[in-house]
Amino acid sequence: MIRGRNADRLLIVTTLGLVAAGAVMVYSTSFIVAMKKFGDEYFFVKKHLGFVLAGMVLFIVFSRIHYRLYRRLAYPILALAIVLLALIFVPGIGHKVGGARRWLALGGVTFQPSEFAKLAVIIFLAYSLEAKKDVIKTFSPGFLPHVVVPGAVIALIMAEPDFGTAVTLTMLVYIMSFTAGVRLRYLLGLAVMMMPALYMVVSNFGYMMQRIAAFLDPWKDPGGAGFQIIQSLLAFGSGGIWGTGLGEGRQKLFYLPEAHTDFIFSVIGEELGLIGVGIIISLYVGFLVSGTMIALRTKDLFGKYLALGLTLMVSLQALINMAVVMGILPPKGLPLPFVSYGGTSLVVSMIAVGIILNICIKGNEA
Amino acid sequence: MKKNTDGWLKFRIVLVLVVLVSFYGVVFFRAFHLQVIEGKALEQRARLQHQRTVKIPSRRGRVFDRNLEELAVSIEVDSVYAQPNRIEDSSKVSSALAPLLAVDRRVLRRRLASSKKRHFIWLKRQVDLGSEQRELIRTLGGVDTVKESRRFYPHRSLAANLIGFTGIDSDGLEGVELYYDKYLRGSTMTVKAEKDATGKLLLFEDVEDGVRGMDVVLTIDRTIQYIAEKALRKAVAEHGAKGGTVVVMEPHTGEILAMANAPTYDPNDIRSFRPHQWRNRAVTDMFEPGSILKVFLLAAVLEEGILDPNDIFFCENGKYRVADAVFHDTKKFGWLSVYNIIKHSSNIGAVKIGERLGKRSFYRYLKAFGFGEKTGVDLPGESAGSLRHYTRWSDVALGTISFGQGISATSLQLVGAISAIANGGFLMKPRVVKYIRNSDGVVVEEFTPVILRRVLSEDTSREVARVLTSVTAPGGTGELASLDGGFKVAGKTGTAQKPDPERKGYAPGKYVSSFIGFVPAEEPRLSILVTLDEPQGSFAGGLVAAPVFKEIAKESLAYLGVFPEGSSPEGPPSGRVVEARLSNKASVRHGTAVDHPERIPDFRGKTIRSVLRIAGERSLEVDIRGSGRAVSQSPSPGGPIPEKGGVTVVFQ
């Protein structure tokens, strides 16, 4: 078993492994598009490596900041996250891409507030679940704040709309609350009550219905809504066990939309085959196991919840992304953590690892 | 209690871990299922959508006149298409496109809206766009341009009825364009190509370099064609004729130098014209030739030795009864020699000559001259004319056929027949194409003169020619065809009644006026037939057609540099077909040194693919160095092919 300092070593190794695989795959998936659009095959890779560098620096910085600091700052951080999310809706600051406002343009840098909001909600939950550990079984202080506060953030994220992040965050809230001991019947009751509301929301967003319909039967309209999923499945099928070889994939040639972001795993499937898919999944499992081990080992309850939450943040997103590209879940529009091209997601994931590492080091000092 | 809570917390965390790890397991199992179990089927499907066999229609070959003047060329134009299913904002796209394509914005938007689900529609074909405009269109998304080739006829209506035209997909629809379509079109190149989802072809070389269609070089001489058309147009207008044809043939080779039609059309704009204007009447339309047929009656009796030009006949003072019919002459003639029967075009004289010749013999000669069957010319829609078998000729029919009624022929047949007299007795196959060359200028197929049969002896043909010169001599019916300045013209006028298609018999007042002949009579260079369909006012062939003949003959001879009576600087070709054929062949082969099949071709500027193709055609060894376009070669083009080793071609 992984014990003591082995856990943090595994955490770092799996993280770096995924980041390295990501950089290679971003190049492999994007060089043709980059060549065609910008006349520079390294266009996306250069930018991606910039984010990797920034992520590394922040990883080191955050691994040296004592995590207990966030406990004190839980509310300010939450407030900041909500303000940032609200700013998206301010014309001129909010940046609209493809029908969704998900980005803030701040001094030439675009930034996804929902990524930061995930951190904020996790910090809040860790703080609040620890603070209410003795009354956790109650309805009012034990259950209600842990769904209402994140619920408000999730509602804002839904409004962007960013369904993928909202779903990830909802699952995160549920799992963290469940782990901390919130009564299951409250959680399940809420879920049942939310069903009609969820249906309303989904049916209001035409694109979601389309995506779901396409998910249920992608082959029905292969040129239309089912296009992405079918192309993704074809990519996996083409890869076979050994893959077509790095850079040799055909599906990324405009068949797979956003091959270097949301559908990078399909290209891994095509170019590196089942072997590559297995390696990437193993790295994520390694990451999940090491993060959970650190959480288990941590005596400090805030640190325990925070480590678990951050680990789950990455793991859930990875799971959902993979499930989507393989047609197990309907499309969401989530990047694959560490691997996909995508600035904020990569940087925030690296920060999360930095914090987990700090918890691993400092968590048992108190 | 505390211990217990901690235990449950640990349990729940481990539970979450186990559940998530098993989810990863599910994901991996799904990957295994997709990649191993369903892998083959999915891979097959993926391959289907990537690989397209792309058919590249080759650029259509050109049509040249005999001096390599371009008569039909293909120019590259842009065609604009849309992929409506990829267009996001169709009203924006149509507003941007409308001014570029000169199409109404609303029309475009309606077209895009009505085919929203389609993957491909043409928006406008064959427009002239600049490169910035093309770029602009490309940026709109969902719309793009492709290069298409459009046929262009630089001389507009010149030889239009002969050359024909093509459809919008550059497929030959009429004339030479149709008959030689498979050469002009060339081979369609099929290439396997990678395709991305936007429909763009990738990883694909030589897109623009499809195998070009071959060039067709006509026997037509642009200048003579122009002379013929101009003279015909003038006469048709002057006499208010319904139509007309002129065919000019080189009598020794059967090569058509000009084939003019009226009415005509502009092949650059076929939609403004109707089929009767496209038709190549000289080949497709048959008519009763009238007195010009007497030439062949004369040839037959002279060849048979039945008569001598000086033998005389009594022409019955203009009225001659055969069975239940009465034949008339336009003038009352008494005794006329055969010579004068032709000179004055006496029908009664012709009838009597015909009686002497007999049905069977006359029929045999008409057949030999090519009447009643297709000439086999390399043009579509040829008509065979009509010549009944002699066993079905009545005595009256023998009489009418003797002066060219009750038989029909095409202009082309008649010119072929007169050429047999002009060239010493050989019926030549009429041809409009001299040779075909590939896009690199190498002659791939050459059409040499074809002798169909010998019809007359050389002596007889000289004798017929001598008699025919009387027609254009003073007092002859074709005097207006005579040339000043020493040339003798052998010819015959014709004024034929037109059969009435509704009633039996002939339509009153409707004539085909014609003149057929060759110049110079002693050393013929040109056989010419002029026909005018339904001239108004004066209608005698000698009055309306003979002057047209004269104009064409005079200007064409001047253009060809033929001078009367031995003053010619380069002796005209002798009457021997064999020699004509040899000189003809030589002139084709020595076009340019580089085109010579026994010389090294010029590979420079070509792609590897086309170099290999050319080398393959010549069984030449080539050593390919590098890739891209050929920049240099050793040995240099035009030199003799080395006995050992091949040609080294360097590409960059």
Side-chain angles (χ1 to χ4, degrees), chain A residues 89-105:
Chain A
F89 299 97
V90 178
I93 307 174
H95 202 64
K96 199 169 176 176
V97 175
R101 300 167 179 280
R102 294 180 189 172
W103 285 266
L104 274 185

Side-chain angles (χ1 to χ4, degrees), chain A residues 75-295:
Chain A
Y75 280 111
I77 289 172
L78 187 66
L80 179 62
I82 291 173
V83 168
L84 288 175
L85 280 173
L87 273 179
I88 283 182
F89 299 97
V90 178
I93 307 174
H95 202 64
K96 199 169 176 176
V97 175
R101 300 167 179 280
R102 294 180 189 172
W103 285 266
L104 274 185
L106 295 173
V109 182
T110 53
F111 160 80
Q112 261 184 296
S114 57
E115 292 289 340
F116 177 71
K118 285 193 288 191
L119 282 183
V121 168
I122 292 166
I123 290 169
F124 165 78
L125 277 174
Y127 159 79
S128 179
L129 289 170
E130 186 210 19
K132 281 135 196 167
K133 63 175 191 287
D134 295 326
V135 287
I136 202 72
K137 297 288 177 198
T138 63
F139 180 79
S140 178
F143 165 72
L144 216 49
H146 305 126
V147 293
V148 170
V149 175
V153 175
I154 290 167
L156 276 172
I157 292 173
M158 285 281 271
E160 290 183 11
D162 183 352
F163 196 56
T165 305
V167 165
T168 317
L169 206 45
T170 307
M171 290 173 74
L172 196 67
V173 170
Y174 262 72
I175 297 175
M176 282 184 75
S177 302
F178 163 76
T179 314
V182 174
R183 282 193 186 277
L184 207 53
R185 73 175 97 111
Y186 297 148
L187 292 170
L188 292 179
L190 178 69
V192 172
M193 273 161 52
M194 289 299 282
M195 286 295 184
L198 189 71
Y199 177 78
M200 292 252 297
V201 170
V202 167
S203 53
N204 263 335
F205 288 103
Y207 84 100
M208 282 186 197
M209 283 306 274
Q210 250 182 20
R211 279 178 172 190
I212 288 171
F215 162 70
L216 293 175
D217 187 5
W219 303 97
K220 193 172 150 196
D221 181 15
F227 185 77
Q228 294 189 355
I229 289 301
I230 288 191
Q231 295 307 330
S232 175
L233 297 185
L234 294 182
F236 279 101
S238 304
I241 297 177
W242 302 102
T244 57
L246 202 58
E248 295 293 314
R250 304 275 162 82
Q251 288 293 98
K252 66 195 177 203
L253 305 180
F254 306 94
Y255 282 105
L256 275 176
E258 299 157 85
H260 61 296
T261 59
D262 296 358
F263 281 85
I264 199 163
F265 198 56
S266 319
V267 180
I268 292 173
E270 183 180 12
E271 298 190 349
L272 304 178
L274 188 64
I275 303 294
V277 167
I279 290 172
I280 299 292
I281 291 178
S282 310
L283 287 172
Y284 279 115
V285 170
F287 179 88
L288 172 65
V289 169
S290 58
T292 313
M293 294 313 286
I294 289 168

Side-chain angles (χ1 to χ4, degrees), chain B residues 30-41:
Chain B
R30 172 72 173 163
F32 174 80
H33 187 79
L34 285 175
Q35 303 199 267
V36 179
I37 295 170
E38 287 182 32
K40 279 273 175 290

Side-chain angles (χ1 to χ4, degrees), chain B residues 173-469:
Chain B
L173 296 181
E174 269 292 354
V176 170
E177 295 274 25
L178 171 60
Y179 198 90
Y180 286 94
D181 193 43
K182 71 170 200 276
Y183 291 96
L184 288 164
R185 183 199 298 270
S187 52
T188 306
M189 198 158 77
T190 345
V191 183
K192 281 217 163 59
E194 293 286 320
K195 218 164 153 281
D196 71 25
T198 60
K200 283 250 162 57
L201 296 168
L202 296 170
L203 320 174
F204 179 82
E205 62 161 332
D206 268 2
V207 185
E208 281 134 80
D209 247 66
V211 187
R212 260 189 76 154
M214 296 186 187
D215 294 337
V216 169
V217 180
L218 301 181
T219 59
I220 298 294
D221 186 306
R222 183 178 65 119
T223 307
I224 298 176
Q225 177 75 27
Y226 173 74
I227 293 167
E229 286 186 12
K230 186 187 60 163
L232 178 66
R233 193 163 53 235
K234 205 173 74 187
V236 165
E238 194 179 320
H239 298 288
K242 233 174 81 180
T245 65
V246 171
V247 181
V248 181
M249 183 185 265
E250 202 177 74
H252 299 282
T253 59
E255 290 178 0
I256 305 291
L257 293 172
M259 191 179 268
N261 275 270
T264 184
Y265 69 102
D266 181 354
N268 293 313
D269 180 27
I270 47 166
R271 265 173 244 166
S272 307
F273 297 91
R274 302 259 60 85
H276 78 273
Q277 293 161 306
W278 307 337
R279 209 167 67 220
N280 187 1
R281 289 152 191 266
V283 173
T284 61
D285 287 18
M286 55 181 188
F287 60 98
E288 299 201 3
S291 298
I292 53 179
L293 203 79
K294 289 172 188 164
V295 173
F296 311 105
L297 174 71
L298 171 71
V301 288
L302 295 183
E303 177 72 12
E304 287 294 290
I306 297 169
L307 293 170
D308 181 271
N310 297 319
D311 290 342
I312 55 171
F313 284 90
F314 180 61
C315 290
E316 309 282 348
N317 288 317
K319 216 171 178 183
Y320 179 49
R321 171 175 288 274
V322 173
D324 55 345
V326 180
F327 296 114
H328 297 276
D329 269 334
T330 45
K331 276 193 225 162
K332 289 175 182 164
F333 298 110
W335 289 92
L336 285 181
S337 64
V338 169
Y339 184 92
N340 280 323
I341 286 172
I342 297 300
K343 178 170 179 176
H344 299 296
S345 198
S346 163
N347 284 351
I348 293 166
V351 172
K352 291 199 167 181
I353 296 172
E355 284 168 348
R356 288 288 289 276
L357 180 60
K359 293 172 192 169
R360 180 161 173 271
S361 212
F362 193 17
Y363 175 79
R364 203 158 49 82
Y365 274 92
L366 289 175
K367 266 291 204 211
F369 273 112
F371 293 105
E373 65 186 43
K374 294 184 180 180
T375 62
V377 72
D378 40 350
L379 285 172
E382 193 191 3
S383 152
S386 89
L387 171 65
R388 275 175 294 156
H389 193 258
Y390 72 92
T391 51
R392 288 162 55 209
W393 292 5
S394 63
D395 291 342
V396 179
L398 171 64
T400 61
I401 292 169
S402 298
F403 56 85
Q405 302 274 181
I407 174 175
S408 45
T410 64
S411 293
L412 190 66
Q413 283 175 328
L414 288 159
V415 170
I418 197 78
S419 293
I421 293 164
N423 68 22
F426 298 95
L427 185 71
M428 307 300 298
K429 183 177 165 183
R431 291 174 301 119
V432 299
V433 171
K434 255 178 117 64
Y435 58 94
I436 287 166
R437 48 178 228 182
N438 66 18
S439 55
D440 300 305
V442 179
V443 175
V444 293
E445 196 162 347
E446 199 180 330
F447 301 95
T448 48
V450 176
I451 302 171
L452 293 174
R453 65 187 81 95
R454 177 149 208 158
V455 185
L456 303 173
S457 70
E458 196 167 338
D459 287 346
T460 307
S461 56
R462 277 188 201 285
E463 188 67 0
V464 176
R466 192 182 65 81
V467 176
L468 291 181
T469 54

